[in-house]
Amino acid sequence: MNNGLRRVRGMQDILPFESWKWQYVERTLQRVSELFGFQEFRTPIVEFADLFIKGIGEDTDVVGKEMYVFSDRNEDVLCLRPEMTASIVRAVVEHSLLQQQGSWKIWYYGPMFRRERPQKGRYRQFYQYGVEVIGSPYPESDVEVIALAWQILQSFGLQNIELRINSLGKREEQERYREALLNYLSPFREQLSRESQYRLERNPLRILDSKDEKDRALLANAPKIIDFLGDESTAHFQMVLQFLQKLHIPYTLDPYLVRGLDYYCHTAFEIVSNSLGAQNAVCGGGRYDDLAKVYGADPFPAVGFALGIERLILLLEEESKFPSQKSIADVYVICTGEDLYSETIATAYCLRQAGLRVIYDLQRRSVKAQMREANKFGVPFVLILGQEELRRNMVLLKSMQSGEQWELNRDTFVEEVKSRIRAVIHHQ
Ligand code: HAM
């Protein structure tokens, strides 16, 4: 029976002892975004369902099977966003951002929702960090986002990663390729998985995403989209590859990489890791110059990617790339007797006002238990409030690392505690 005290399948809690990992990741993402001059964009979690149905495409898994759609009380059909690229396009048009400035470099971070079958690295609520460069048709902007993705993964110390890249050309070129793929696959219709048979008429490009073994075998000799590109598309792609070489960013050409969303044209890429198992794509993205058109708006060139935070964290754990956890406090104030509760609270308050991170026991436990807890939390200093010292207007500061201790005058202890702590932090 479900009495409500159960989390929804595929949705995760981030527990207090794990959140430091998320914060470390979030800080790094923000820092690297700023190195590249990107600005943060925040959009609502709830949007009109049509935004994604039109934008991502009805025959994609995301729209066809995975969206959380619901009617608002006034009958509007809303959904929990499955991604943010369409939201950004909506917001760019709605706020006429391109009329104010010719191009924008945007980053975002937040929860997305897809009702997929949960497994390691695949959840129904998951977090994405993503970027979009809006307004530039040039290969420099494709490389701007790929270089950012690469630098992010490098700044976490990840090495076991591979950039896979392809070009999907323009719409007309995709159309011609679609026909060629249809011609190639039609004789094998009966051998295809049921899903791929269904897709054959509706959207054969989606068959290239199939995970079915037999489908994959049939696809091994399928035509390649790269052979259907015109001069302009080829030149764009060559330039992207040249820029990547200039930056010494290694890549693998993947002629069958089409990505699971319909809006892409020209560059499409993914970064995968061998340490992740089945869900091996840490990030994916590409160019989507025609997306605004599906809403009847004037199109604008744009390129971006999104990175799955849960997968990134799994990867950092797998490769032991997390730094050691920082202690939750600088000082633990030890209370040595029942008549010292108010003294303890006041001392902690005073140190916190001076900018130190301070904790004390909220369970009225023994001095020994408090010391044990300070040790467990890795707090570098304890400040002991003892009756005898207090009578002499003193407190005792003790380093948990060296065991050294100092008697400090209560009128000046705050500054002294600060300088002792600074010395330790400086030393580390
Ligand atoms: P996507 O490939 O659907 O692209 O998702 C990007 C990344 O989000 C994936 O590579 C993966 O790391 C993560 N991800 C996706 N689904 C799940 C899931 N169910 N559980 C955990 N992680 C997941 C997009 O969303 C595009 N909006 C990317 C983009 C931005 N293209 C252009 N600009």
Side-chain angles (χ1 to χ4, degrees), residues 18-33:
E18 309 168 319
S19 50
W20 69 275
K21 292 184 178 174
W22 286 73
Q23 290 163 352
Y24 164 70
V25 164
E26 287 158 9
R27 271 198 305 273
T28 309
L29 292 171
Q30 179 164 353
R31 185 172 53 78
V32 184
S33 308

PDB file of all heavy atoms in Angstrom, residues 18-33:
ATOM      1  N   GLU A  18      25.116  13.703   0.544  1.00  0.00           N
ATOM      2  CA  GLU A  18      25.563  13.624  -0.857  1.00  0.00           C
ATOM      3  C   GLU A  18      25.555  14.985  -1.529  1.00  0.00           C
ATOM      4  O   GLU A  18      26.121  15.151  -2.603  1.00  0.00           O
ATOM      5  CB  GLU A  18      24.604  12.760  -1.691  1.00  0.00           C
ATOM      6  CG  GLU A  18      24.291  11.419  -1.141  1.00  0.00           C
ATOM      7  CD  GLU A  18      23.122  10.763  -1.890  1.00  0.00           C
ATOM      8  OE1 GLU A  18      22.128  11.456  -2.214  1.00  0.00           O
ATOM      9  OE2 GLU A  18      23.225   9.563  -2.132  1.00  0.00           O
ATOM     10  N   SER A  19      24.844  15.942  -0.923  1.00  0.00           N
ATOM     11  CA  SER A  19      24.598  17.193  -1.638  1.00  0.00           C
ATOM     12  C   SER A  19      25.881  17.970  -1.912  1.00  0.00           C
ATOM     13  O   SER A  19      25.938  18.760  -2.847  1.00  0.00           O
ATOM     14  CB  SER A  19      23.585  18.059  -0.894  1.00  0.00           C
ATOM     15  OG  SER A  19      23.958  18.186   0.444  1.00  0.00           O
ATOM     16  N   TRP A  20      26.924  17.719  -1.078  1.00  0.00           N
ATOM     17  CA  TRP A  20      28.179  18.434  -1.345  1.00  0.00           C
ATOM     18  C   TRP A  20      28.718  18.101  -2.726  1.00  0.00           C
ATOM     19  O   TRP A  20      29.321  18.946  -3.384  1.00  0.00           O
ATOM     20  CB  TRP A  20      29.232  18.128  -0.262  1.00  0.00           C
ATOM     21  CG  TRP A  20      29.753  16.717  -0.280  1.00  0.00           C
ATOM     22  CD1 TRP A  20      29.198  15.631   0.324  1.00  0.00           C
ATOM     23  CD2 TRP A  20      30.924  16.237  -0.958  1.00  0.00           C
ATOM     24  NE1 TRP A  20      29.942  14.506   0.067  1.00  0.00           N
ATOM     25  CE2 TRP A  20      31.014  14.842  -0.711  1.00  0.00           C
ATOM     26  CE3 TRP A  20      31.917  16.839  -1.738  1.00  0.00           C
ATOM     27  CZ2 TRP A  20      32.048  14.052  -1.220  1.00  0.00           C
ATOM     28  CZ3 TRP A  20      32.943  16.045  -2.251  1.00  0.00           C
ATOM     29  CH2 TRP A  20      33.005  14.678  -1.988  1.00  0.00           C
ATOM     30  N   LYS A  21      28.463  16.888  -3.210  1.00  0.00           N
ATOM     31  CA  LYS A  21      28.940  16.512  -4.548  1.00  0.00           C
ATOM     32  C   LYS A  21      28.223  17.343  -5.616  1.00  0.00           C
ATOM     33  O   LYS A  21      28.822  17.810  -6.575  1.00  0.00           O
ATOM     34  CB  LYS A  21      28.685  15.026  -4.808  1.00  0.00           C
ATOM     35  CG  LYS A  21      29.519  14.118  -3.938  1.00  0.00           C
ATOM     36  CD  LYS A  21      29.307  12.667  -4.298  1.00  0.00           C
ATOM     37  CE  LYS A  21      30.198  11.793  -3.437  1.00  0.00           C
ATOM     38  NZ  LYS A  21      29.937  10.372  -3.642  1.00  0.00           N
ATOM     39  N   TRP A  22      26.922  17.503  -5.415  1.00  0.00           N
ATOM     40  CA  TRP A  22      26.142  18.304  -6.354  1.00  0.00           C
ATOM     41  C   TRP A  22      26.626  19.755  -6.339  1.00  0.00           C
ATOM     42  O   TRP A  22      26.761  20.382  -7.379  1.00  0.00           O
ATOM     43  CB  TRP A  22      24.649  18.224  -5.993  1.00  0.00           C
ATOM     44  CG  TRP A  22      24.072  16.905  -6.379  1.00  0.00           C
ATOM     45  CD1 TRP A  22      24.290  15.705  -5.762  1.00  0.00           C
ATOM     46  CD2 TRP A  22      23.241  16.638  -7.508  1.00  0.00           C
ATOM     47  NE1 TRP A  22      23.624  14.715  -6.437  1.00  0.00           N
ATOM     48  CE2 TRP A  22      22.961  15.253  -7.499  1.00  0.00           C
ATOM     49  CE3 TRP A  22      22.680  17.427  -8.507  1.00  0.00           C
ATOM     50  CZ2 TRP A  22      22.161  14.644  -8.473  1.00  0.00           C
ATOM     51  CZ3 TRP A  22      21.874  16.823  -9.463  1.00  0.00           C
ATOM     52  CH2 TRP A  22      21.629  15.447  -9.447  1.00  0.00           C
ATOM     53  N   GLN A  23      26.871  20.247  -5.115  1.00  0.00           N
ATOM     54  CA  GLN A  23      27.305  21.644  -5.025  1.00  0.00           C
ATOM     55  C   GLN A  23      28.672  21.844  -5.678  1.00  0.00           C
ATOM     56  O   GLN A  23      28.911  22.853  -6.343  1.00  0.00           O
ATOM     57  CB  GLN A  23      27.336  22.076  -3.553  1.00  0.00           C
ATOM     58  CG  GLN A  23      25.941  22.193  -2.980  1.00  0.00           C
ATOM     59  CD  GLN A  23      25.920  22.204  -1.466  1.00  0.00           C
ATOM     60  OE1 GLN A  23      26.940  21.982  -0.811  1.00  0.00           O
ATOM     61  NE2 GLN A  23      24.753  22.448  -0.906  1.00  0.00           N
ATOM     62  N   TYR A  24      29.548  20.863  -5.512  1.00  0.00           N
ATOM     63  CA  TYR A  24      30.864  20.942  -6.147  1.00  0.00           C
ATOM     64  C   TYR A  24      30.703  21.006  -7.670  1.00  0.00           C
ATOM     65  O   TYR A  24      31.311  21.840  -8.353  1.00  0.00           O
ATOM     66  CB  TYR A  24      31.705  19.723  -5.728  1.00  0.00           C
ATOM     67  CG  TYR A  24      32.924  19.488  -6.587  1.00  0.00           C
ATOM     68  CD1 TYR A  24      34.017  20.358  -6.528  1.00  0.00           C
ATOM     69  CD2 TYR A  24      32.983  18.396  -7.456  1.00  0.00           C
ATOM     70  CE1 TYR A  24      35.128  20.144  -7.344  1.00  0.00           C
ATOM     71  CE2 TYR A  24      34.081  18.174  -8.258  1.00  0.00           C
ATOM     72  CZ  TYR A  24      35.153  19.050  -8.198  1.00  0.00           C
ATOM     73  OH  TYR A  24      36.243  18.842  -8.999  1.00  0.00           O
ATOM     74  N   VAL A  25      29.842  20.118  -8.189  1.00  0.00           N
ATOM     75  CA  VAL A  25      29.597  20.089  -9.635  1.00  0.00           C
ATOM     76  C   VAL A  25      28.990  21.420 -10.093  1.00  0.00           C
ATOM     77  O   VAL A  25      29.438  22.023 -11.078  1.00  0.00           O
ATOM     78  CB  VAL A  25      28.666  18.899  -9.987  1.00  0.00           C
ATOM     79  CG1 VAL A  25      28.072  19.049 -11.370  1.00  0.00           C
ATOM     80  CG2 VAL A  25      29.430  17.588  -9.873  1.00  0.00           C
ATOM     81  N   GLU A  26      27.988  21.899  -9.348  1.00  0.00           N
ATOM     82  CA  GLU A  26      27.309  23.143  -9.750  1.00  0.00           C
ATOM     83  C   GLU A  26      28.272  24.336  -9.741  1.00  0.00           C
ATOM     84  O   GLU A  26      28.249  25.165 -10.639  1.00  0.00           O
ATOM     85  CB  GLU A  26      26.123  23.408  -8.803  1.00  0.00           C
ATOM     86  CG  GLU A  26      24.966  22.451  -9.061  1.00  0.00           C
ATOM     87  CD  GLU A  26      24.013  22.299  -7.873  1.00  0.00           C
ATOM     88  OE1 GLU A  26      24.126  23.058  -6.889  1.00  0.00           O
ATOM     89  OE2 GLU A  26      23.149  21.393  -7.940  1.00  0.00           O
ATOM     90  N   ARG A  27      29.127  24.392  -8.718  1.00  0.00           N
ATOM     91  CA  ARG A  27      30.099  25.503  -8.655  1.00  0.00           C
ATOM     92  C   ARG A  27      31.029  25.474  -9.862  1.00  0.00           C
ATOM     93  O   ARG A  27      31.308  26.493 -10.486  1.00  0.00           O
ATOM     94  CB  ARG A  27      30.942  25.400  -7.374  1.00  0.00           C
ATOM     95  CG  ARG A  27      30.343  26.116  -6.173  1.00  0.00           C
ATOM     96  CD  ARG A  27      31.412  26.347  -5.094  1.00  0.00           C
ATOM     97  NE  ARG A  27      32.092  25.120  -4.687  1.00  0.00           N
ATOM     98  CZ  ARG A  27      31.647  24.300  -3.731  1.00  0.00           C
ATOM     99  NH1 ARG A  27      30.530  24.565  -3.089  1.00  0.00           N
ATOM    100  NH2 ARG A  27      32.310  23.211  -3.421  1.00  0.00           N
ATOM    101  N   THR A  28      31.509  24.265 -10.187  1.00  0.00           N
ATOM    102  CA  THR A  28      32.430  24.140 -11.328  1.00  0.00           C
ATOM    103  C   THR A  28      31.735  24.542 -12.623  1.00  0.00           C
ATOM    104  O   THR A  28      32.312  25.250 -13.455  1.00  0.00           O
ATOM    105  CB  THR A  28      32.965  22.694 -11.417  1.00  0.00           C
ATOM    106  OG1 THR A  28      33.468  22.340 -10.134  1.00  0.00           O
ATOM    107  CG2 THR A  28      34.055  22.560 -12.455  1.00  0.00           C
ATOM    108  N   LEU A  29      30.484  24.090 -12.788  1.00  0.00           N
ATOM    109  CA  LEU A  29      29.754  24.425 -14.018  1.00  0.00           C
ATOM    110  C   LEU A  29      29.598  25.938 -14.160  1.00  0.00           C
ATOM    111  O   LEU A  29      29.794  26.499 -15.240  1.00  0.00           O
ATOM    112  CB  LEU A  29      28.375  23.761 -14.009  1.00  0.00           C
ATOM    113  CG  LEU A  29      28.380  22.231 -14.118  1.00  0.00           C
ATOM    114  CD1 LEU A  29      26.984  21.667 -13.882  1.00  0.00           C
ATOM    115  CD2 LEU A  29      28.913  21.792 -15.483  1.00  0.00           C
ATOM    116  N   GLN A  30      29.258  26.571 -13.062  1.00  0.00           N
ATOM    117  CA  GLN A  30      29.079  28.027 -13.118  1.00  0.00           C
ATOM    118  C   GLN A  30      30.410  28.723 -13.441  1.00  0.00           C
ATOM    119  O   GLN A  30      30.470  29.629 -14.273  1.00  0.00           O
ATOM    120  CB  GLN A  30      28.508  28.544 -11.792  1.00  0.00           C
ATOM    121  CG  GLN A  30      28.328  30.044 -11.819  1.00  0.00           C
ATOM    122  CD  GLN A  30      27.435  30.573 -10.719  1.00  0.00           C
ATOM    123  OE1 GLN A  30      26.825  29.815  -9.977  1.00  0.00           O
ATOM    124  NE2 GLN A  30      27.366  31.885 -10.613  1.00  0.00           N
ATOM    125  N   ARG A  31      31.468  28.235 -12.798  1.00  0.00           N
ATOM    126  CA  ARG A  31      32.778  28.866 -12.997  1.00  0.00           C
ATOM    127  C   ARG A  31      33.223  28.754 -14.465  1.00  0.00           C
ATOM    128  O   ARG A  31      33.621  29.740 -15.076  1.00  0.00           O
ATOM    129  CB  ARG A  31      33.818  28.195 -12.075  1.00  0.00           C
ATOM    130  CG  ARG A  31      35.187  28.836 -12.086  1.00  0.00           C
ATOM    131  CD  ARG A  31      36.092  28.244 -11.015  1.00  0.00           C
ATOM    132  NE  ARG A  31      36.198  26.802 -11.053  1.00  0.00           N
ATOM    133  CZ  ARG A  31      36.945  26.116 -11.918  1.00  0.00           C
ATOM    134  NH1 ARG A  31      37.675  26.756 -12.804  1.00  0.00           N
ATOM    135  NH2 ARG A  31      36.977  24.794 -11.878  1.00  0.00           N
ATOM    136  N   VAL A  32      33.103  27.562 -15.024  1.00  0.00           N
ATOM    137  CA  VAL A  32      33.565  27.396 -16.408  1.00  0.00           C
ATOM    138  C   VAL A  32      32.653  28.164 -17.376  1.00  0.00           C
ATOM    139  O   VAL A  32      33.124  28.761 -18.341  1.00  0.00           O
ATOM    140  CB  VAL A  32      33.699  25.901 -16.793  1.00  0.00           C
ATOM    141  CG1 VAL A  32      34.262  25.756 -18.198  1.00  0.00           C
ATOM    142  CG2 VAL A  32      34.597  25.170 -15.798  1.00  0.00           C
ATOM    143  N   SER A  33      31.341  28.200 -17.091  1.00  0.00           N
ATOM    144  CA  SER A  33      30.431  28.988 -17.953  1.00  0.00           C
ATOM    145  C   SER A  33      30.883  30.440 -17.988  1.00  0.00           C
ATOM    146  O   SER A  33      30.850  31.103 -19.022  1.00  0.00           O
ATOM    147  CB  SER A  33      29.003  28.973 -17.418  1.00  0.00           C
ATOM    148  OG  SER A  33      28.565  27.681 -17.176  1.00  0.00           O
TER     149      SER A  33
END
